[in-house]
Amino acid sequence: TGACVAASLGAIFEGSQQERNLKDARDFVLRERGELYGDLERKFVLAPRGGESALPEAGPSLDDVVGALLENRRLRFDYLHNDGRADTLTIEPLSLVVFDHQFYVLAKRDTGTFHPYRFVRMAGVQKLDEAFTYPSKGEYDPKSILAQGFGIHTYGTGPVEDVEVILSGAWATFALTHR
């Protein structure tokens, strides 16, 4: 069942080998009935909406990201930060997060915090030969990390604060029927 659901999401990966792979996944899983890679439920996280402007032209770069995730290999790329600053980064990719149908690579910073790197701002993506040890579930749980933020943003491990918002009319109905 899971492979069938994944195959239906192939269009999200337009232009990449992953699009074709997802369409073939249900047949592969039915034949093999085994795990080829570990921790898949934490490596690919879907939070739907929007659209990925980088695809299909950047399909090969997305293939490098997915390959690095599956093989626990480091990635190197040029990155354009929100403030316009450019860096060349080497990261240990932990999850490919889809938020509003836009891709983010979630990785741990040197400071110990986690950061979602926006795929469309990554250029010259290279999957390196350098392997790393994927963290245990106790060390890394993407759903817990993302649950503390607003949207895709992460804010470290500070306390969660309650906020009261009063809505009326159509927005009240919307809020009561959506997460």
Side-chain angles (χ1 to χ4, degrees):
T1 303
C4 293
V5 172
S8 72
L9 301 175
I12 294 171
F13 297 94
E14 180 185 6
S16 72
Q17 182 62 40
Q18 306 320 306
E19 178 181 22
R20 182 184 320 274
N21 290 350
L22 283 171
K23 291 177 182 176
D24 295 338
R26 81 180 148 250
D27 298 331
F28 173 79
V29 170
L30 291 174
R31 279 194 314 273
E32 299 296 322
R33 296 278 183 175
E35 268 191 69
L36 184 58
Y37 303 102
D39 302 301
L40 291 178
E41 73 282 358
R42 297 183 298 127
K43 290 183 177 179
F44 300 95
V45 181
L46 176 65
R49 280 194 282 181
E52 177 56 74
S53 61
L55 293 177
E57 294 81 14
S61 290
L62 183 61
D63 291 336
D64 281 344
V65 169
V66 170
L69 279 164
L70 293 174
E71 299 168 16
N72 297 336
R73 303 282 179 195
R74 289 183 171 85
L75 280 175
R76 180 172 296 135
F77 53 89
D78 297 322
Y79 191 71
L80 181 62
H81 296 274
N82 276 343
D83 62 6
R85 191 172 36 93
D87 271 329
T88 299
L89 302 173
T90 301
I91 64 166
E92 295 177 352
L94 301 176
S95 294
L96 179 65
V97 179
V98 182
F99 182 78
D100 285 346
H101 288 194
Q102 298 170 14
F103 296 115
Y104 296 84
V105 178
L106 194 55
K108 192 172 188 176
R109 292 179 170 171
D110 293 338
T111 60
T113 60
F114 295 93
H115 184 75
Y117 294 95
R118 178 78 167 85
F119 177 71
V120 75
R121 291 195 219 131
M122 297 166 68
V125 176
Q126 301 170 24
K127 178 179 75 169
L128 303 178
D129 291 333
E130 303 169 31
F132 67 93
T133 302
Y134 195 78
S136 71
K137 197 167 189 174
E139 297 171 301
Y140 172 69
D141 179 11
K143 290 182 181 181
S144 294
I145 292 165
L146 295 171
Q148 294 183 22
F150 184 73
I152 193 66
H153 304 286
T154 58
Y155 299 104
T157 58
V160 176
E161 296 183 29
D162 289 330
V163 176
E164 183 177 349
V165 178
I166 300 171
L167 301 171
S168 62
W171 285 113
T173 303
F174 180 86
L176 289 171
T177 59
H178 289 78
R179 291 181 114 183

